[in-house]
Amino acid sequence: MSAATETLTAPEETVRERVTADFWFDPICPWAWMTSRWMTEVEKVRDVEVRWHVMSLAVLNEGRDLPEGYRRSMDEAWGPVRVLTAAQLAHGDEVLKPLYDAIGRRLHPGGRSDERMAVVAEALAEVGLPAELVEAASSDAHDDALRASHQKAIELVGDEVGTPVVAIDGVAFFGPVMTPAPKGDEAGRLWDGLVLMTGVPGFYELKRTRTQGPVFD
């Protein structure tokens, strides 16, 4: 068999274009954490570039009539997102995901959601960022940038949502919400399905009632 014949009969390879995904998160949200673990897995099995962004449950819930306990939680939610925003502004976009990972591991699988600022201080040390960034938690100095990042997600997906928000080439959805986070081929198949949905202009919503809390592993 000639080389020319071999070329003609060789199976064609499927060419997939690189996809850009934008992921908005609030580090205190366990459901955003679950989805971020899936998205991190997707990067291993698909040709995807993920850009990470902060959004804020505290901003989202401003002016809403909330139960007292949840309102206190929202008041405390400012600290971590402010520190993440300050770190991003001072040290670049590349520090956002490692700092989120370090915070999230402690808050969620680590079960330390009642120690948010201690967790943030430890996370800064883990990723080699200046300890004084923790002071941003009690300052509104970077709130304009935080609100701007949050607003970009809201402009894409609307204000009747929460976190996370995932956008694929500019088409955004709240979620997907899942537990536990799928891995390997399963993560890739779920991603493929989401890509297909974003390609349908009139597709808006797919939902069912959650019957299980976050399963961390």
Side-chain angles (χ1 to χ4, degrees):
M1 183 179 291
S2 68
T5 305
E6 289 178 353
T7 301
L8 289 172
T9 58
E12 295 182 2
E13 293 185 3
T14 301
V15 178
R16 295 185 179 184
E17 294 184 1
R18 187 171 181 82
V19 175
T20 298
D22 290 278
F23 190 104
W24 281 267
F25 64 90
D26 186 313
I28 72 167
C29 177
W31 294 106
W33 175 254
M34 299 300 298
T35 308
S36 74
R37 298 311 90 188
W38 163 69
M39 196 73 256
T40 300
E41 192 74 11
V42 168
E43 289 185 285
K44 301 175 184 177
V45 298
R46 294 293 185 270
D47 191 11
V48 178
E49 176 191 3
V50 183
R51 299 182 297 200
W52 301 86
H53 311 274
V54 173
M55 67 182 298
S56 171
L57 290 171
V59 172
L60 185 70
N61 285 286
E62 279 184 321
R64 296 184 179 180
D65 185 16
L66 304 173
E68 182 59 30
Y70 192 66
R71 180 173 297 282
R72 285 197 301 271
S73 179
M74 290 301 96
D75 290 343
E76 296 169 359
W78 284 100
V81 287
R82 282 172 165 170
V83 173
L84 279 157
T85 301
Q88 181 183 20
L89 292 173
H91 299 278
D93 294 346
E94 63 272 15
V95 305
L96 198 57
K97 176 61 161 44
L99 184 55
Y100 175 38
D101 289 346
I103 292 172
R105 282 194 301 269
R106 290 169 168 83
L107 289 181
H108 304 305
R112 296 175 59 193
S113 59
D114 58 344
E115 303 175 42
R116 288 177 184 169
M117 296 320 301
V119 157
V120 169
E122 292 173 15
L124 288 169
E126 178 183 323
V127 300
L129 289 170
E132 57 266 25
L133 281 169
V134 77
E135 297 171 7
S138 56
S139 168
D140 62 3
H142 306 299
D143 282 5
D144 286 348
L146 170 58
R147 290 178 183 276
S149 180
H150 176 91
Q151 187 59 29
K152 286 180 182 178
I154 298 303
E155 288 172 357
L156 287 173
V157 79
D159 59 4
E160 296 178 356
V161 299
T163 177
V165 169
V166 176
I168 302 174
D169 290 334
V171 180
F173 291 96
F174 163 58
V177 176
M178 66 194 75
T179 190
K183 295 180 173 63
D185 289 342
E186 186 180 357
R189 289 195 298 272
L190 178 57
W191 169 257
D192 295 340
L194 186 61
V195 172
L196 286 174
M197 288 189 291
T198 62
V200 179
F203 181 82
Y204 292 104
E205 186 173 0
L206 183 68
K207 187 174 181 179
R208 63 174 176 167
T209 300
R210 292 195 301 263
T211 59
Q212 186 176 12
V215 177
F216 305 117
D217 54 20

